[in-house]
Amino acid sequence: MRIVVDVLREPMFALLLGAGAIYLVLGDLTESLVLLAFATISVSITVVQETRSERVLDALRDLTSPRALVIRDGVRKRISGRDVVRGDAVILLEGDRVPADAILAAASNLLLDESLLTGESIPVRKVAGATAEEPAMARPGGEDLPFVFSGTLVVRGEGLAIVRATGARSEIGRIGQALGRIATEPPRLQKETRRLVRIAAVVGGIASLLAVILYGCLRGDWLQATLGGIALGMSMLPEEFPLVLTAFMVMGAWRLSQARVLTRRAAAIEMLGSATVLCTDKTGTLTENRMSIAEVRVSALTETEATLVETALLASGRDSFEPMERAIAERMMAQPGGTEKLYAGQELVRQFALRPELLAMTNVWRRDGDGQTLACAKGAPEAIGLLCNLDAERLAWLHRSVDEMARGGARVLGVAKAAHPGGELPADQRGFAFTFLGLVGFSDPLRANVPAAVGECRSAGVRVIMITGDYPATAETIAARAGLETAGTIGGDELARLDDAGLKHRLLGANVFARIMPEQKLRLVEALKANGEVVAMTGDGVNDAPALKSAHIGIAMGGRGTDVAREASSIVLLDDDFGSIVRTIRLGRRIYDNLRKAMAYIVAVHVPIAGLALLPLLFGFPLILTPIHIAFLEMVIDPACSIVFEAEADEDDLMRRPPRSPESQILSGRMAGWSLLQGGLALITVAAVFAGGLARGMPETELRALVFVSLVLINVSLILVNRSFSSSLLVALRRRNVSLWVLMSAVATVLAITLSWPPAMKLFRFGPLHLDDLALSLAAGAAILVVLELVKPYWRAAFRS
């Protein structure tokens, strides 16, 4: 009903009803009913399109909404956050958004950011609560409480929570009900099209009023004057603009989803064609994220490689999904007894998480029989070396080995262990007396499509920058294989030392950034933006969210990305593949290209229609176009611009053009000039046909049929001319566009019926059209096609402006 009400408020619908009412007063029941039918069809088409759009958007919202990991029927499963219900057992992991208000049944080192609800930026510690008494939910805030709240963020640790409240009953739900009344600012394209429609409506309204007054005063027939004014108003109102924009944005989001890319904000589609820099991480985006142990180097003091791998597994999360930890577990699974033999008889008593100031993590295990405690650590080689207090000789061996392994493209972790005598555990990892065991190198092969995709970005004027936490030598090896320039690699330490001016200068020539902390990504994005770049940025972690939000186009990883990264982004890649990012840029450029073609066609086709509605009023000729004719033409124009142009294939030079300016207008001055040139030539041609018919003394009904058929064929020529700017007509005709030929067939069929079936001829007030008249109409359409095809090459710059 909301969609129907919106349609009923449209000016075009009011004009159709007004014309129908006038025909009813004139006693022409048939034309009145036909116009009512056209109005009904218009409403139906809009309702169907809007409903389909809503369904597409609902499906996309389901995919992009925060996910929840729940336990149902004893099985873990990922579901949409909106599907969580009271009583669900929800597993909370680092980086997750809490999907509902809940009480913790279990918690391990759990910290939550509740600033969304409390305004306090410091995370609060959570503990498990008593599940038997079902305590009442408290308000957000406060340390060591068992309550977690929907929308808050897990910044560390993990937990199991039982859902108590969802939706409007949750804390954030009550806030959301108040926020629901706040309107969001529409995207730039939407504002631009609304402005164009308003301008055209004002101009059309003034012209229609003047035409009615002029016709009525000169001829004294005010009903006919009103009909002529309505026809002129209908001809000048480009009401297709909002419809086309909606159709293109929704279909664009749907086409991107077919490429396994979800669009969370329509404005991202506008910006895709403007991207000048694409910042991408390495693991899982440029590479396959399929880690395996490639090499193990043991320290001189270590017994065997098996000891090193066992220690690395004990330093990992159990049943982990992290690629390197899975690779370690897979190596152990190949040994007799597998991982269960290693875990048997041991209890995990403490975990020390990875911290920015110390890139290492430690798990502390206690053996059941004798109570002995073993601390197992893994992390960045330099961090593990720091924990072990290595002497100069062993530190040199460490650096040399890491360099050699990294140059081979391996990602390297150091491993250490420490026996603890018992009693109270240290408060920090540095409190253990670690022994250095050695290094583990992991390989992650480059995705096969990456070099070609990087080459396509280069030809499109899009610079690719790789940002990774890996060792510089590893990063450079992968970057070289991907086809990136590796000269001038910048490391995280150097980045920290550079001031803003120095960083802006270094960014001009550096494409590889290694050993970068997540929080440094935001600084890189801001520096690139300060250099005038339009930045697309990929990310997956909690700490990537500021950079994703700051970038013009934030791209989150759907497979391994956290909910907060997905929420901060405008685009989500379901397959985490770099090739999908390039396909997204290509699709974004195509969508914008086709949208401009449709807009140019709309402006062009309205010029001859408005001219034919105005000329008889000015010069006293018989009315050629009445509201019923214009309503019929609108039935051709609407699907042409919203379906045919949307389905057009890529331009041949689509990925060989430089990125367009983000400030470029959908209907720039040059583009408007091209549209008016097309429309002006079309008006001159159809006016010449009209004048020729008058000179031959054709009856009014035959003249109307001649001019109308000529106008329809010229309309077809305008569609063909605007299909492509980079290709000739012959090349464009060979492109596959089923929608075009379906529309052409439908137009030909309906036109044949209106010219040969007596009831239709009477309805449209057509006389018989002879072969020589039909030849003249075909010649008019062909002439427009040929002339505009000859002129078009000189206007190609307008299309790219």
Side-chain angles (χ1 to χ4, degrees):
M1 288 305 298
R2 177 189 59 79
I3 297 170
V4 172
V5 170
D6 287 344
V7 176
L8 296 181
R9 291 163 55 190
E10 290 292 327
M12 182 61 74
F13 185 80
L15 290 172
L16 282 171
L17 289 184
I22 292 173
Y23 277 122
L24 197 59
V25 171
L26 291 172
D28 197 334
L29 182 61
T30 303
E31 291 214 20
S32 179
L33 290 176
V34 169
L35 282 175
L36 182 61
F38 273 132
T40 305
I41 291 171
S42 176
V43 172
S44 302
I45 290 174
T46 305
V47 169
V48 169
Q49 286 186 332
E50 290 266 354
T51 305
R52 286 180 175 174
S53 299
E54 290 289 343
R55 281 203 295 265
V56 170
L57 294 175
D58 282 341
L60 295 177
R61 283 191 207 105
D62 284 337
L63 288 170
T64 57
S65 69
R67 302 163 298 173
L69 181 60
V70 300
I71 300 176
R72 289 182 177 174
D73 300 324
V75 178
R76 292 187 178 194
K77 58 175 67 176
R78 281 276 182 191
I79 63 173
S80 171
R82 67 180 67 188
D83 293 331
V84 171
V85 297
R86 179 181 169 89
D88 267 337
V90 179
I91 297 172
L92 303 176
L93 303 173
E94 185 173 323
D96 283 353
R97 284 279 183 196
V98 179
D101 290 3
I103 295 180
L104 286 167
S108 173
N109 198 26
L110 190 62
L111 281 180
L112 265 72
D113 177 359
E114 294 185 344
S115 58
L116 182 71
L117 300 174
T118 64
E120 296 294 331
S121 59
I122 300 174
V124 292
R125 187 170 55 249
K126 297 291 181 177
V127 297
T131 57
E133 298 181 1
E134 289 276 325
M137 294 289 293
R139 300 303 304 276
E143 295 276 358
D144 297 325
L145 295 174
F147 310 111
V148 294
F149 300 92
S150 177
T152 58
L153 174 67
V154 180
V155 296
R156 196 175 76 196
E158 57 187 47
L160 175 67
I162 308 302
V163 174
R164 294 289 301 278
T166 62
R169 293 182 177 86
S170 66
E171 285 287 326
I172 199 171
R174 286 190 279 271
I175 299 172
Q177 288 179 314
L179 291 176
R181 295 189 291 270
I182 300 175
T184 56
E185 183 180 353
R188 186 175 62 86
L189 270 181
Q190 191 176 5
K191 291 191 289 186
E192 187 179 343
T193 53
R194 284 179 179 174
R195 180 177 59 84
L196 290 171
V197 171
R198 279 199 301 268
I199 292 172
V202 171
V203 173
I206 294 171
S208 298
L209 183 62
L210 291 175
V212 170
I213 294 172
L214 181 65
Y215 190 97
C217 290
L218 292 177
R219 300 191 184 184
D221 190 343
W222 289 97
L223 280 177
Q224 285 294 333
T226 305
L227 277 177
I230 289 175
L232 180 60
M234 289 173 66
S235 68
M236 294 187 70
L237 185 65
E239 88 292 345
E240 300 91 354
F241 277 175
L243 172 68
V244 168
L245 183 62
T246 301
F248 270 68
M249 292 300 105
V250 172
M251 288 303 297
W254 176 78
R255 289 189 187 279
L256 288 170
S257 73
Q258 297 301 105
R260 298 189 60 74
V261 177
L262 301 182
T263 308
R264 301 186 70 250
R265 299 183 182 94
I269 298 177
E270 301 176 34
M271 293 298 296
L272 281 169
S274 302
T276 59
V277 171
L278 173 55
C279 298
T280 176
D281 57 354
K282 177 181 74 69
T283 304
T285 307
L286 296 177
T287 64
E288 295 181 1
N289 200 23
R290 186 172 47 82
M291 288 286 186
S292 60
I293 294 179
E295 184 179 359
V296 176
R297 292 198 182 188
V298 297
S299 166
L301 302 178
T302 309
E303 297 177 0
T304 62
E305 289 185 6
T307 304
L308 191 152
V309 176
E310 287 175 2
T311 305
L313 181 64
L314 290 174
S316 304
R318 194 165 182 176
D319 300 323
S320 172
F321 289 95
E322 200 278 326
M324 287 190 291
E325 294 188 347
R326 280 167 53 184
I328 296 168
E330 288 170 4
R331 170 67 73 90
M332 282 301 302
M333 291 286 284
Q335 304 299 321
T339 59
E340 293 306 318
K341 181 180 178 181
L342 184 63
Y343 290 127
Q346 298 198 84
E347 178 191 3
L348 180 64
V349 293
R350 184 74 181 272
Q351 291 179 298
F352 295 90
L354 198 76
R355 297 295 181 85
E357 65 274 11
L358 183 64
L359 298 177
M361 60 183 294
T362 299
N363 288 343
V364 183
W365 299 83
R366 180 177 292 122
R367 196 182 302 168
D368 292 343
D370 52 17
Q372 288 187 352
T373 304
L374 180 69
C376 302
K378 68 175 175 62
E382 59 267 32
I384 296 297
L386 182 66
L387 285 177
C388 296
N389 296 312
L390 297 182
D391 58 32
E393 181 180 353
R394 295 175 68 200
L395 201 57
W397 176 88
L398 172 67
H399 290 154
R400 185 173 62 254
S401 297
V402 169
D403 283 338
E404 291 172 358
M405 296 169 75
R407 278 195 293 272
R411 188 170 182 179
V412 186
L413 289 182
V415 181
K417 68 178 179 179
H420 189 70
E424 188 175 349
L425 294 174
D428 187 81
Q429 299 179 73
R430 297 179 181 89
F432 294 99
F434 280 108
T435 300
F436 182 69
L437 301 183
L439 303 169
V440 183
F442 301 84
S443 64
D444 184 9
L446 191 73
R447 291 182 185 266
N449 63 348
V450 165
V454 170
E456 192 170 11
C457 283
R458 188 180 295 112
S459 67
V462 180
R463 176 182 167 201
V464 179
I465 291 178
M466 186 176 83
I467 303 173
T468 179
D470 267 354
Y471 197 71
T474 305
E476 289 178 355
T477 300
I478 296 296
R481 292 175 185 171
L484 298 179
E485 293 289 337
T486 59
T489 298
I490 298 178
D493 291 340
E494 181 185 354
L495 178 62
R497 292 193 300 269
L498 288 171
D499 60 15
D500 290 344
L503 178 58
K504 286 174 63 177
H505 177 71
R506 290 284 280 118
L507 274 172
L508 297 176
N511 292 324
V512 179
F513 294 81
R515 271 296 186 253
I516 298 296
M517 299 298 297
E519 55 267 23
Q520 290 179 313
K521 291 183 179 182
L522 175 60
R523 191 175 174 214
L524 286 172
V525 169
E526 295 292 348
L528 286 166
K529 289 167 66 176
N531 276 350
E533 307 284 3
V534 178
V535 184
M537 174 82 189
T538 69
D540 58 5
V542 174
N543 290 332
D544 292 336
L548 288 172
K549 193 163 188 177
S550 175
H552 297 100
I553 308 163
I555 305 172
M557 303 296 110
R560 67 181 190 277
T562 57
D563 282 337
V564 68
R566 287 151 53 96
E567 289 173 23
S569 67
S570 48
I571 287 173
V572 179
L573 301 185
L574 292 183
D575 54 11
D576 299 0
D577 185 358
F578 180 80
S580 295
I581 304 175
V582 181
R583 287 195 297 274
T584 300
I585 294 174
R586 172 181 282 276
L587 275 168
R589 289 190 175 193
R590 168 187 163 179
I591 290 165
Y592 196 85
D593 266 12
N594 291 342
L595 185 57
R596 298 195 80 184
K597 294 173 188 177
M599 295 296 190
Y601 162 75
I602 291 169
V603 173
V605 78
H606 275 277
V607 172
I609 297 174
L612 282 178
L614 183 62
L615 287 177
L617 297 176
L618 294 177
F619 298 105
F621 300 137
L623 291 178
I624 296 298
L625 295 183
T626 64
I628 195 168
H629 298 105
I630 296 175
F632 174 83
L633 288 169
E634 292 294 335
M635 294 299 148
V636 177
I637 295 170
D638 284 354
C641 55
S642 62
I643 298 174
V644 171
F645 284 112
E646 194 282 327
E648 276 297 320
D650 304 351
E651 293 281 349
D652 293 338
D653 64 343
L654 185 70
M655 294 299 281
R656 295 195 298 272
R657 301 180 210 152
R660 63 177 176 81
S661 167
E663 301 302 319
S664 65
Q665 294 182 322
I666 193 75
L667 201 63
S668 62
R670 289 182 178 181
M671 200 69 183
W674 164 244
S675 295
L676 293 175
L677 174 66
Q678 296 179 78
L681 289 175
L683 177 58
I684 292 170
T685 303
V686 77
V689 171
F690 181 43
L694 286 174
R696 289 161 54 193
M698 293 180 69
E700 181 181 327
T701 54
E702 294 184 15
L703 181 60
R704 183 176 289 110
L706 173 65
V707 173
F708 185 78
V709 172
S710 299
L711 184 58
V712 170
L713 293 178
I714 287 172
N715 188 357
V716 170
S717 295
L718 292 178
I719 294 172
L720 296 176
V721 166
N722 284 285
R723 282 188 66 199
S724 175
F725 270 74
S726 64
S727 304
S728 67
L729 177 63
L730 293 176
V731 173
L733 286 174
R734 287 199 294 269
R735 286 182 179 168
R736 187 174 182 272
N737 190 335
V738 176
S739 301
L740 171 67
W741 301 114
V742 169
L743 177 68
M744 296 296 189
S745 302
V747 169
T749 302
V750 175
L751 201 57
I753 291 172
T754 60
L755 294 173
S756 59
W757 189 40
M761 293 175 67
K762 182 180 177 182
L763 177 65
F764 280 83
R765 299 180 184 177
F766 285 168
L769 195 65
H770 306 98
L771 287 178
D772 56 339
D773 299 327
L774 184 58
L776 180 61
S777 296
L778 289 170
I784 284 293
L785 186 61
V786 171
V787 171
L788 290 176
E789 278 296 316
L790 292 174
V791 173
K792 187 165 65 176
Y794 300 100
W795 287 80
R796 279 180 182 156
F799 186 66
R800 294 165 186 163
S801 63

